Amino acid sequence: MSFIASLLIDIFIVLTVLVFFLYLYLTRHFNYWKKHGVPYLEPLPLFGNLKEVFLQKLYMGTFLERMYLEHKDKPYLGIFAIDKPALVVNDLDLIRNILVKDSQYFIDHNMVADEKSDPLFANVIFSLKGDKWKHVRQKLTPSFTSGKMKVMFNLVNKCGEDLVDLIEQLSANDSEVPVKETLTRYTTDAISTCALGIESKSLKDSKSEVRHYMRKVVDFTISKGFAGFLMFFEPQINKLLKFKLMDKEVATFFRKTVWEAVKHREKNGVVRKDLLDCLMELRKKTEKDGDELVKIDGDLFVAQAFAIFAGGFETSSSATTFMMYELAKQPEIQKRLREEICQVLQKHNNQVTYEAIQEMKYLDMVLYETLRKYPVLGVIDRVCVSDYDLPGPSGKGIFTLKAGTSVYIPLCGIHSDPEFYPNPDKFDPERFTEENKSKRHNYAYFPFGEGPRICIGKRFGLMQIKTAFAHILPKFQVSISKNTPKEIVFDPKAFIIKTEDEMYLDFKKITN
Ligand code: HEM
């Protein structure tokens, strides 16, 4: 045998042995659920049960929705995220216990970003764990009371007026309006001014610097989609590989913007009682305390401003886009909503006010139905932080969920379960009359999550969405245009539910 042939055989043997050991390593936990008598899905080496999500073929919420609809007779189901056992919880009473009643066992999200390579994502409130999270959350919560919303309303309302001006320009000459981008420019302006007191001018200027950098945060490339996957499903692997979600230039821009706003306020004694003020108070206080745990400064400080900013603009613009799309498809619902808005506004001297938008009950119903069909976050996640006893899978005995196990709640699945929502693909706001709501399990609907980790910006999100419709619908008739997507496909790379492509719709000015 020649030297080359024997070398090739040696290489082949070494590779086979390596592949064999890699296989053993990746499948070492694959009998975990079987051993504990928990119903589970047969995994594949390398992917576990998440092949389609891993390969970015399917949005994670849609993936778990399919799993839920197939296995909802089981209170919970064991899966494998790559090689790691994780639990998908289907039963609504168990979900209530995990999110609310026994939330101390499930207080953390999975997300772990690397402090060095991705410092802002590592420190955003969504990633913070345990006492550090609790402390930051307690301090930020007062920025989101209904009193604070009232104060911020005028700023949001001004953005609503600018939004109408932009739609008027874009729809001139019967042009289609790129709704997703237009509404994201609106929410970017609203959150910039309310949270940080900065004018992002996204509606006035399509090349606005803030919009430019924020687009980079949320437009997921394949590699960012992969980083997001690991942070959500395999945070420990991400810790090793150090993938990051935020580019250096975006982090630099955000740091600069936040510290300039802070310096301006300190120098000129500006007090706006907004989110940045709350953060600045928090920063002073912790300096005085001298407590390591509660030192909210540097990137921990910037990250909280970033979290509110990032949480605040694309979530709301995505929900607003889907609502606009459904209204375009259903002119009867659109007409009824327009009539309600116009009637309420008449009582308020034709002014969009905070009180007026609270009176629009059909608007609430249409918005709630939008968030049912398109819950912005398709999966709610938690980590079990100390061993927790679940009722045994067959209803007998107990099964102890080990600390460190990831738990996923299939929100998209629950929201499209025909048992709670007959004909779930139909967009039907009547599902949200008081009477119909009272017939359902309380946990058949939770688009903002639940319990201590419920969305902190819920009130702000609802306010900015409702303000947009109160401005737009009395002035424009919205309809499907030639480039409206025929079918909605959620972006498989993204963390939240959104379309990959632009959403074009026709806007026709109402003249009377
Ligand atoms: C339609 C709009 C929105 C929806 C549907 C939504 C949904 C959610 C959901 C499902 C969660 C996770 C909750 C859980 O794990 O139980 C969340 C968390 C969060 N949201 Fe929202 N959100 C919206 C708007 C906003 C806005 C406007 C802001 C900021 C102004 C915001 C900031 C946050 C933050 C900071 C968290 C993390 C809270 C924590 O970990 O303590 N969201 N949101």
Side-chain angles (χ1 to χ4, degrees):
M1 196 186 295
S2 72
F3 172 73
I4 300 280
S6 111
L7 184 68
L8 284 175
I9 289 170
D10 287 350
I11 291 174
F12 177 76
I13 291 170
V14 170
L15 282 179
T16 309
V17 170
L18 278 179
V19 168
F20 176 71
F21 280 107
L22 186 66
Y23 173 85
L24 285 187
Y25 181 76
L26 286 174
T27 58
R28 71 201 181 284
H29 297 308
F30 278 8
N31 69 347
Y32 182 83
W33 293 121
K34 193 174 179 187
K35 208 169 71 193
H36 289 88
V38 172
Y40 68 101
L41 296 182
E42 241 4 285
L44 283 175
L46 195 63
F47 302 110
N49 300 106
L50 300 174
K51 185 174 159 200
E52 285 159 295
V53 185
F54 183 85
L55 297 177
Q56 303 186 0
K57 291 195 168 145
L58 204 58
Y59 172 63
M60 62 177 179
T62 315
F63 178 77
L64 286 191
E65 174 183 334
R66 290 181 186 174
M67 210 179 259
Y68 168 87
L69 291 174
E70 218 173 297
H71 297 278
K72 75 191 186 86
D73 56 318
K74 305 169 183 90
Y76 45 84
L77 186 70
I79 62 163
F80 296 90
I82 305 189
D83 63 332
K84 193 179 66 130
L87 199 71
V88 176
V89 181
N90 298 330
D91 178 84
L92 300 190
D93 291 328
L94 290 182
I95 290 175
R96 179 199 50 215
N97 293 350
I98 287 171
L99 295 182
V100 184
K101 195 171 145 273
D102 299 326
S103 58
Q104 72 274 22
Y105 291 88
F106 298 95
I107 206 62
D108 293 344
H109 286 294
N110 284 285
M111 185 149 136
V112 176
D114 180 59
E115 180 91 36
K116 273 209 177 110
S117 59
D118 209 354
L120 292 190
F121 265 104
N123 281 304
V124 290
I125 182 169
F126 198 87
S127 314
L128 293 182
K129 314 262 180 276
D131 286 347
K132 201 167 178 181
W133 165 76
K134 209 186 222 168
H135 177 77
V136 171
R137 173 89 191 202
Q138 264 170 8
K139 300 292 173 183
L140 292 186
T141 297
S143 318
F144 292 95
T145 59
S146 37
K148 285 280 160 59
M149 292 305 114
K150 257 182 160 171
V151 174
M152 291 180 199
F153 176 76
N154 286 338
L155 298 169
V156 177
N157 202 30
K158 171 74 184 67
C159 300
E161 289 164 8
D162 293 346
L163 171 63
V164 165
D165 290 346
L166 179 61
I167 293 180
E168 211 162 320
Q169 284 167 34
L170 293 170
S171 62
N173 308 320
D174 293 332
S175 304
E176 295 169 290
V177 173
V179 170
K180 194 168 95 166
E181 173 61 15
T182 307
L183 291 170
T184 310
R185 286 163 73 178
Y186 159 71
T187 52
T188 303
D189 272 2
I191 196 74
S192 306
T193 176
C194 290
L196 302 179
I198 56 167
E199 302 290 323
S200 84
K201 296 196 177 64
S202 301
L203 283 164
K204 300 251 187 247
D205 176 8
S206 62
K207 297 195 173 66
S208 142
E209 211 184 5
V210 177
R211 176 73 194 113
H212 167 78
Y213 283 108
M214 284 302 117
R215 192 178 289 124
K216 283 180 176 277
V217 173
V218 293
D219 281 355
F220 270 34
T221 55
I222 290 178
S223 70
K224 276 194 192 166
F226 190 61
F229 173 90
L230 288 181
M231 282 181 192
F232 200 67
F233 290 110
E234 266 290 12
Q236 296 314 322
I237 294 189
N238 196 55
K239 241 181 162 176
L240 279 177
L241 298 180
K242 302 191 193 316
F243 282 118
K244 56 182 184 167
L245 281 180
M246 194 186 284
D247 303 329
K248 213 171 167 187
E249 51 165 341
V250 180
T252 307
F253 168 77
F254 212 82
R255 281 192 194 100
K256 179 175 139 287
T257 307
V258 170
W259 290 125
E260 273 175 12
V262 169
K263 272 189 204 133
H264 171 77
R265 287 184 189 199
E266 283 174 349
K267 192 169 160 210
N268 301 295
V270 177
V271 179
R272 290 177 95 235
K273 298 210 175 300
D274 60 2
L275 180 97
L276 191 61
D277 273 357
C278 284
L279 281 173
M280 286 168 67
E281 271 169 39
L282 182 57
R283 182 169 162 244
K284 271 191 224 145
K285 233 196 198 137
T286 53
E287 276 172 2
K288 236 185 269 162
D289 291 350
D291 182 339
E292 263 305 294
L293 179 72
V294 295
K295 199 158 171 49
I296 311 285
D297 205 346
D299 270 353
L300 187 54
F301 179 90
V302 179
Q304 303 327 312
F306 172 73
I308 301 303
F309 203 90
F313 78 103
E314 227 211 359
T315 47
S316 301
S317 68
S318 177
T320 317
T321 301
F322 287 122
M323 182 156 150
M324 204 65 92
Y325 167 71
E326 290 290 347
L327 291 177
K329 284 203 307 180
Q330 310 221 37
E332 281 309 308
I333 296 177
Q334 186 183 149
K335 182 167 170 271
R336 182 170 159 198
L337 182 55
R338 178 175 300 107
E339 280 167 5
E340 179 193 72
I341 292 175
C342 291
Q343 265 171 22
V344 173
L345 292 186
Q346 250 176 17
K347 283 204 297 178
H348 291 264
N349 297 324
N350 284 320
Q351 299 297 312
V352 179
T353 62
Y354 183 77
E355 288 71 24
I357 61 166
Q358 310 306 320
E359 279 175 40
M360 298 173 183
K361 298 298 164 209
Y362 191 59
L363 178 55
D364 281 341
M365 286 163 59
V366 179
L367 176 48
Y368 293 161
E369 173 64 350
T370 306
L371 292 174
R372 176 195 71 82
K373 210 174 158 193
Y374 308 97
V376 169
L377 213 60
V379 180
I380 306 279
D381 78 299
R382 294 287 187 271
V383 184
C384 176
V385 292
S386 51
D387 290 4
Y388 178 73
D389 289 342
L390 285 162
S394 59
K396 286 190 208 128
I398 54 160
F399 161 64
T400 303
L401 191 66
K402 287 285 166 207
T405 312
S406 301
V407 171
Y408 299 101
I409 297 172
L411 189 56
C412 281
I414 296 165
H415 280 195
S416 54
D417 184 341
E419 191 185 326
F420 310 125
Y421 303 102
N423 197 0
D425 291 340
K426 185 176 174 206
F427 184 83
D428 181 8
E430 295 309 307
R431 302 182 202 273
F432 289 91
T433 59
E434 288 306 320
E435 192 192 345
N436 285 338
K437 277 197 291 186
S438 69
K439 286 184 200 152
R440 278 192 298 268
H441 192 294
N442 281 343
Y443 284 80
Y445 184 76
F446 47 101
F448 292 95
E450 259 308 340
R453 277 205 103 129
I454 192 172
C455 173
I456 200 170
K458 176 179 175 184
R459 285 198 180 97
F460 188 85
L462 292 173
M463 178 173 81
Q464 65 177 345
I465 296 172
K466 292 204 246 178
T467 305
F469 283 97
H471 278 283
I472 294 170
L473 281 196
K475 299 189 184 73
F476 298 95
Q477 176 83 37
V478 189
S479 54
I480 298 293
S481 69
K482 62 177 186 305
N483 286 314
T484 306
K486 300 277 172 291
E487 196 195 345
I488 297 288
V489 180
F490 299 147
D491 184 350
K493 302 183 291 306
F495 198 51
I496 69 161
I497 288 184
K498 60 177 190 172
T499 54
E500 210 166 359
D501 301 322
E502 184 49 87
M503 168 73 73
Y504 287 99
L505 293 173
D506 271 338
F507 283 68
K508 201 167 177 205
K509 192 129 192 239
I510 296 173
T511 46
N512 49 13

